[in-house]
Amino acid sequence: MLRNLGIPVTLKIVGKIGAYAMKLKQEVEANKYNWCIFLGNQPREKLKSLYAQSKVSCFPSWWENMPLVCLEAMLSGNIVVGSSNGGMNEIIEDGKDGYLIKPHDPRGLAICLRMALMENKESVSLKHKRAYNKIKNKFSMDVVLESLEKYYLNVKEQYEKSKSSMG
């Protein structure tokens, strides 16, 4: 679908190559699809470089709890396309700072990727700015540590209250 639009696309699949990915890789190699490359696991320095080379990062997982890859890609300025299930739904605001797709929906994924690839520089920049501000205000180390501190102080307070009421 994307090649029909004249958009040059290279799909780089990064991460563990399990049984399904190995089957897909064999099909890609047998058909000589040179636009699809399986890179396997990569060191963090290489991931930074891959993000920098990309406009879109796609994580169509069926379920993720707290996917740090979304935060990394968003901070790198990529438009992130992620799953509407699990933690990505809590990170990405659909259409504002990335896109969400339903799991098991290849057509929806293709439509979303097309929209992301067709975005102009201003739109990409606005999404990046929104993503950066969200990460800074919700997921930065200071914010997370403050939230954890409040939680544990609350647990301690509740424990002390229950202890004093018992005896």
Side-chain angles (χ1 to χ4, degrees):
M1 182 184 280
L2 296 171
R3 289 187 299 154
N4 295 342
L5 297 172
I7 301 171
V9 174
T10 301
L11 175 63
K12 294 180 182 179
I13 300 175
V14 179
K16 183 178 93 173
I17 299 178
Y20 179 75
M22 186 56 74
K23 182 179 174 183
L24 185 59
K25 181 179 180 187
Q26 290 169 350
E27 183 180 326
V28 163
E29 289 171 353
N31 289 297
K32 296 182 177 29
Y33 296 138
N34 59 358
W35 53 267
C36 184
I37 303 165
F38 288 79
L39 298 174
N41 287 330
Q42 297 293 307
R44 181 148 310 281
E45 297 75 34
K46 179 70 175 174
L47 290 176
K48 289 179 183 179
S49 171
L50 289 167
Y51 287 134
Q53 298 168 20
S54 303
K55 179 178 183 178
V56 178
S57 291
C58 181
F59 309 112
S61 301
W62 296 347
W63 179 265
E64 293 284 340
N65 186 27
M66 179 55 187
L68 294 177
V69 292
C70 283
L71 300 175
E72 292 171 346
M74 290 167 90
L75 284 173
S76 297
N78 292 178
I79 298 174
V80 175
V81 175
S83 175
S84 60
N85 279 1
M88 287 186 229
N89 193 7
E90 296 175 25
I91 296 171
I92 301 167
E93 188 175 351
D94 191 36
K96 299 280 186 182
D97 52 22
Y99 293 104
L100 293 170
I101 55 149
K102 293 179 186 174
H104 309 278
D105 182 9
R107 181 163 172 67
L109 175 59
I111 290 167
C112 220
L113 287 172
R114 178 181 178 211
M115 286 188 327
L117 289 167
M118 297 292 288
E119 287 197 28
N120 62 35
K121 287 183 181 189
E122 293 79 24
S123 179
V124 172
S125 179
L126 180 59
K127 279 185 175 54
H128 174 62
K129 183 178 177 182
R130 288 175 178 156
Y132 177 84
N133 288 331
K134 177 187 284 182
I135 292 167
K136 181 180 161 189
N137 295 323
K138 288 181 75 172
F139 301 105
S140 70
M141 185 72 75
D142 291 340
V143 171
V144 171
L145 288 176
E146 183 179 327
S147 177
L148 280 173
E149 181 182 32
K150 285 180 184 177
Y151 172 78
Y152 285 116
L153 287 173
N154 188 17
V155 168
K156 179 183 174 214
E157 182 182 315
Q158 295 301 315
Y159 172 76
E160 288 172 352
K161 282 182 183 178
S162 69
K163 191 175 168 183
S164 66
S165 68
M166 295 172 96

